[in-house]
């Protein structure tokens, strides 16, 4: 049906006067509250007697007042005070914030051009399109009753009572006309659905009424998460996504900018408080964003309230980002307070859809808003609406009772000549002004959603008509009246393309899917504009390179509680504030395992330079080029050369008297032991492996055992000979060379037996000791490659050799009284005394350096030098004098006559008793004869006897 059939007129008779209306609310609201909060199961049924009785009693006053004020005939179309009425077959309600919230007791304030008039005209534009569409609700005309909420929930509640008047049965029996005739009571139009409201707090207040009368409601701007509760707001739907999606999008923006410490500002009411609550909840779930302060702007802010808010936001300078869920007026006043506090460029605002891309909040304070990131449900500018709106004039738009006020505000003129005051700067309106030509015009952001909301109601009615009235023109009886519950089902099933081509659909809670565009308010070349920098559909898509911050800076400003910790530092979180922390260094052998934890490296590892991980500890061993190795090796090489020289000399002069008198068999055994002592140095310095470690176990003690076993056998023989001589002239047992060799090898075999048992119990192996050089500074830590011979094992290994050495020393002491001429033990005694001194010095050096970082070097060097020095003492004191005589004094290496063993022993004994100086006899005949006699008894085939001067054997 053409829209031309819908007129409008001003009807004072249809008015509830403000004062009467106030009394109406005083009585209506408490009564309604009783019904509103009844559980659904106990709430009166729409058709039951219980409901009729309850509602009739509660609303009797309302009905009478309404009847008294509507007792005049209804024209074709009427305009209600503070409302627009458009006649139609089906009437829709509309709620728009045409005016701002009033102050000083006034319900309404200044006119809202974009948020009020643009959105209201969008509904009128949508109604015109639907009524001119032959495919949508054919032959059915949509009418409307549009109210001004004045941006206040209590005022909106008062106004919205109009929507339920038709559902309340009015009793006019007590109404009498002056002429005595029957009263004519005009029944208000029946509103089947409501478009709106804008503010969430208004929508919540109105939804509580509409659900009682089962009137579906479709909002174009209310985004409070509370409205998703289908158990409380079951007749509420919206074509915009709830703030839970918006809050998630804002959290994602904050994370993308790497901000983790923000403040929040909320207008008191459902929209602001629930929006901030949703943001806080999402940030806690994510765990990477913390709230510094949450500030609430009172519903009726006092003077200086916004200055106080700014002072609170300034308390922590690190929290530069401010999340805003506030209405348009509060945003404007907050920016003004920040500007007055000279905080331009300090705060980074992140605004919700209530800010969106609106001009009014930033007007005349553009620099304060520069860099603000705002969010708005994804929308498109509707060109058809632009053509419609700029064509509106005072003549063709009389149905909008607020359009004249908009005209004066938009063009800064007055329609009445008497209203123009001198010096006011205002002019009289000529009615020749044109929108977009004589004034700036930019389509308000929610226009698309208003149109989609109206179309959603129309499509639901169309589908309901096809179901209930198939093939019928116009409304049928089944749709008179329209069942709100049935209509709601059709609304929730919708899925159609909206005015901008985006799908319009609802989930089970009546919510639209989340689709947002991200804006940033930028100033370029002194021109301020909202620039799209990304979008959000389940996840964030942001073009960071197109962003610009206060002062034209490209670098993202910081808003963090604590600076990031350096590599190798862990975060120690401040209790209750997970985004604030102190940085603690992972010291010693710790590394940074994760953000909050330091862990010890494995025993074979140390932390890298920045303590972010572990690296293997370097392995060290005693190198041949080390000074700790060079000195022992030089001593060993010289000793081996000297030993070989003595051996070669003895072999060359094997049959000379001195060599024979020294006990050739034991001498070669002793020289073998000395050689092994020197050779041990090379085993101790070689790179440890299984073979080297096995040889160390064997030869480290074996060389010394052989040496000291041979010396012990010699000293023991001398001791027994002279001890026997004091009691008898017969020779002691086991003093022949063969017996001496057997005794020596028996003593040495004990060492080998112990080593073999050790091999069986604990096989030899090379190990890496990481504790040996584990210094307090990990940089100096080293792993020592060595054989598995502990200090205790080493003492046990050398213990037997030391036992032989001590025993030999004891025998040397016992034979110290034998005259020098007969004293073969004296050179051995000197050797053992010196050796004892060496090993007594070795013990404190070896064990005193057990805690040193150079333990491996000191102990190895000390041990090898001590062994080499012991061998050198034996070699030097026992054999070098003989080699000297053999090579440089051969005249002393001559044979001499001999006597029997009995005569030699008797002479030696008597000489010792009666003439201590007898040993001064030249050529030492008695001693020579003793050695020769012993050798003759053992080897009778040999007939050579020698005599030599006083040289130790």
């Amino acid at each position: 049906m053409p829209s031309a059939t819908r007129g409008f007129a001003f009807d004072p008779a249809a008015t509830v006067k403000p004062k009467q209306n106030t009394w109406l609310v005083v009585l209506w609201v408490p009564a309604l509250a009783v019904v509103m909060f009844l559980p659904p199961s106990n709430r009166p049924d729409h058709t039951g007697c219980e409901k009729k009785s309850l509602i009739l009693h509660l609303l009797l006053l309302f009905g009478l007042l309404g009847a008294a004020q509507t007792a005049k005939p209804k024209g074709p179309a009427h305009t209600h005070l503070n409302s627009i009425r458009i006649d139609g077959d089906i009437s829709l309600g509309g709620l728009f914030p045409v005016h701002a919230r009033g102050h000083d007791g006034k319900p309404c304030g200044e006119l809202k051009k974009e948020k009020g008039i643009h959105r209201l005209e969008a509904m009128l534009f949508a109604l015109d399109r639907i009524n001119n569409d032959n495919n949508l609700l054919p032959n059915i005309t949509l009418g409307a009753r549009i109210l001004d909420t004045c941006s206040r929930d209590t005022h909106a509640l008062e106004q919205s009572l109009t929507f339920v008047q038709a559902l309340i049965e009015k009793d006019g029996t007590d109404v009498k006309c002056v002429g005595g005739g029957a009263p004519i009571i005009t029944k208000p139009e029946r509103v089947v659905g409501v478009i709106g409201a804008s503010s969430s707090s208004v929508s919540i207040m109105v939804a509580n009424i509409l659900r009682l009368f089962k009137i579906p409601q479709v909002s174009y701007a209310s985004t409070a998460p509370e409205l998703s509760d289908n158990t409380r707001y079951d007749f509420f739907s919206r074509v915009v996504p709830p703030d839970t999606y918006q809050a998630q999008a804002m959290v994602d923006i904050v994370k993308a900018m790497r901000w983790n410490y923000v403040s929040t500002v909320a207008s008191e009411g459902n929209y602001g408080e629930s929006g901030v609550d949703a943001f806080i909840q999402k940030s806690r779930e994510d765990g990477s964003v913390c709230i510094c302060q949450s500030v609430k702007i009172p519903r009726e802010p006092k003077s200086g309230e916004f200055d106080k808010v700014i002072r609170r936001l300034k308390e922590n300078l690190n929290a530069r980002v401010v999340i805003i869920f506030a209405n348009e007026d509060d945003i404007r006043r907050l920016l003004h307070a920040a500007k007055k506090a000279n905080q331009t460029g300090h705060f980074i605002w992140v605004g919700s859809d209530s800010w969106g891309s609106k001009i009014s909040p930033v007007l005349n304070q553009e620099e304060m808003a520069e860099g603000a990131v705002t969010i708005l449900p994804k929308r498109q500018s509707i060109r058809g609406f632009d053509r419609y709106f700029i064509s509106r004039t005072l003549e063709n738009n009389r149905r909008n009772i607020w359009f004249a006020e908009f005209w004066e505000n938009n063009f800064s003129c007055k329609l009445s000549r008497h209203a123009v005051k001198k010096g006011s700067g205002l002019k009289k309106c000529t009615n020749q002004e044109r929108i977009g030509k004589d004034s700036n015009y930019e389509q308000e952001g929610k226009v698309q959603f208003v149109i989609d909301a109206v179309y959603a109601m129309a499509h639901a009615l169309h589908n309901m008509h096809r179901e209930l009235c198939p093939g019928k023109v116009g409304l049928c009886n089944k749709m008179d009246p329209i069942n709100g519950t049935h209509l709601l089902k059709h609304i929730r099933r919708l899925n159609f393309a909206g005015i901008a081509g985006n799908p319009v659909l609802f989930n089970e809670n009546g919510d639209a899917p989340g689709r947002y565009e991200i804006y940033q308010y930028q100033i370029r070349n002194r021109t301020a504009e909202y620039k799209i920098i990304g979008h959000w559909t389940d996840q964030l898509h942001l073009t960071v390179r197109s962003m610009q911050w206060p002062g034209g800076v490209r670098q993202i400003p910081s808003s963090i509680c604590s600076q990031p910790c350096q590599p190798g530092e862990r975060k120690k979180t401040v209790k209750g504030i997970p985004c604030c922390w102190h940085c603690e260094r992972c010291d010693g052998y710790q590394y940074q395992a994760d953000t909050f934890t330091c862990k010890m490296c494995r025993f074979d590892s140390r932390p890298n330079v920045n303590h972010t991980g572990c690296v293997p500890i370097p392995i060290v061993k005693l190198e041949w080029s080390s000074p700790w190795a060079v000195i022992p090796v030089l001593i060993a090489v010289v000793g081996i050369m000297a030993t070989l020289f003595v051996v070669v000399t003895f072999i060359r002069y094997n049959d000379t008297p001195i060599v024979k008198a020294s006990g050739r068999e034991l001498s070669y055994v002793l020289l073998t032991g000395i050689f092994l002592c020197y050779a041990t140095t090379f085993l101790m310095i070689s790179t440890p492996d299984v073979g080297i470690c096995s040889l160390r176990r064997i030869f480290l003690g074996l060389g010394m055992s052989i040496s000291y076993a041979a010396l012990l056998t010699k000293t023991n023989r001398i001791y027994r000979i002279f001890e026997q001589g004091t009691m008898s002239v017969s020779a002691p047992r086991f003093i022949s060379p063969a017996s001496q060799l057997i005794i020596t090898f028996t003593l040495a075999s004990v060492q080998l037996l112990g080593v073999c048992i050790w091999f069986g119990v604990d096989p030899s192996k090379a190990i890496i000791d990481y504790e040996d050089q584990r210094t307090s500074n990990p940089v100096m830590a080293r792993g020592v490659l060595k054989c598995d011979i502990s200090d205790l094992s080493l003492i046990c290994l050398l213990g037997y050799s030391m036992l032989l050495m001590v025993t030999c020393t004891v025998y040397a002491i016992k034979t110290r009284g034998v005259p020098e001429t007969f004293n073969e033990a004296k050179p051995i005694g000197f050797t053992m005394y010196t050796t004892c001194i060496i090993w007594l010095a070795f013990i404190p050096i070896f064990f005193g350096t057990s805690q040193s970082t150079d333990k491996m070097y000191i102990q190895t060097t000390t041990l090898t030098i001590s062994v080499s020095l012991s061998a050198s003492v034996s070699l030097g004191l026992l054999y070098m004098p003989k080699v000297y005589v053999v090579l440089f004094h051969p005249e002393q290496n001559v044979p001499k006559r001999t006597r029997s063993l009995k005569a030699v022993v008797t002479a030696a004994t008597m000489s010792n008793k009666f003439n201590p100086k007898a040993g001064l006899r030249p050529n030492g005949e008695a001693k020579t004869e003793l050695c020769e006699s012993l050798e003759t008894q053992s080897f009778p085939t040999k007939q050579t006897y020698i005599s030599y001067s006083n040289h130790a054997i």
Side-chain angles (χ1 to χ4, degrees), residues 136 151 279 287 576 596 701 937:
L136 184 62
S151 305
F279 177 85
F596 302 97
Q937 289 183 357

Side-chain angles (χ1 to χ4, degrees), residues 635-652 667-679 682 703 707 867-876 879-880 883:
I635 294 173
V637 169
V638 172
I640 288 174
M641 293 175 63
T643 303
L644 293 176
F645 178 74
V646 171
V647 171
V648 170
T649 302
F650 268 50
I651 294 174
R652 171 70 179 80
S667 293
Y668 289 130
V669 171
L670 180 57
L671 289 170
T672 301
I674 292 173
F675 175 83
L676 291 177
C677 288
Y678 287 124
F682 298 95
S707 300
V867 173
S868 295
L869 287 179
S870 299
S872 299
V873 168
S874 299
L875 185 66
Y879 291 102
M880 284 306 171
V883 172

Side-chain angles (χ1 to χ4, degrees), residues 330-508:
D330 288 344
I331 294 172
R332 184 183 70 252
R333 296 172 70 180
L334 183 67
L335 293 178
H336 178 72
K339 183 178 180 180
K340 189 167 63 174
N342 196 26
Q343 294 300 308
T344 303
H346 174 71
F347 293 115
I348 306 298
W349 313 100
V350 178
S352 63
D353 60 343
S354 61
W355 183 337
S357 58
K358 296 186 182 69
I359 298 299
S360 57
V362 300
L363 190 63
N364 298 325
Q365 43 196 13
E366 290 81 3
E367 292 183 356
M368 192 64 242
E370 184 182 8
V373 178
T374 61
I375 189 170
L376 196 62
K378 193 170 184 179
R379 64 181 179 85
Q380 292 182 12
S381 182
I382 311 303
R383 293 184 180 180
F385 176 79
D386 290 339
R387 291 192 297 269
Y388 163 82
F389 192 77
I390 62 176
S391 67
R392 298 297 90 190
T393 64
L394 292 173
E395 284 78 14
N396 63 15
N397 199 24
R398 292 183 179 274
R399 61 183 177 180
N400 186 345
I401 63 169
W402 297 289
F403 196 72
E405 185 181 356
F406 165 79
W407 195 270
E408 290 181 337
N409 187 293
N410 192 52
F411 296 109
S412 300
C413 64
K414 288 293 182 180
L415 290 172
S416 172
R417 182 183 301 274
H418 301 289
V420 178
K421 298 180 180 179
K422 293 183 180 181
S424 63
L426 297 176
K427 59 182 180 179
K428 185 178 183 300
C429 300
T430 64
N431 203 19
Q432 300 301 315
E433 298 89 358
R434 291 296 176 264
I435 299 171
K437 180 179 179 182
D438 299 308
S439 66
N440 294 327
Y441 165 73
E442 183 178 356
Q443 187 178 126
E444 199 273 334
K446 293 291 197 307
V447 164
Q448 170 193 334
F449 300 107
V450 175
I451 298 172
D452 285 344
V454 177
Y455 264 90
M457 198 69 76
H459 277 285
L461 289 167
H462 180 79
N463 295 339
M464 185 177 179
H465 181 268
R466 285 196 305 178
E467 179 186 340
L468 300 179
C469 310
K472 291 190 177 181
V473 177
L475 296 176
C476 63
N477 292 333
K478 291 183 178 180
M479 290 187 68
D480 188 17
I482 292 175
N483 187 297
T485 304
H486 200 170
L487 178 60
L488 177 65
K489 292 180 181 179
H490 283 284
I491 291 175
R492 295 292 173 85
R493 294 173 184 170
L494 288 175
N495 189 344
F496 67 95
I499 187 70
N502 296 323
V504 177
L505 66 157
F506 306 94
N507 63 13
E508 65 277 5

Side-chain angles (χ1 to χ4, degrees), residues 27 259 483-484 612:
L27 295 175
W259 298 324
N483 187 297
T612 56

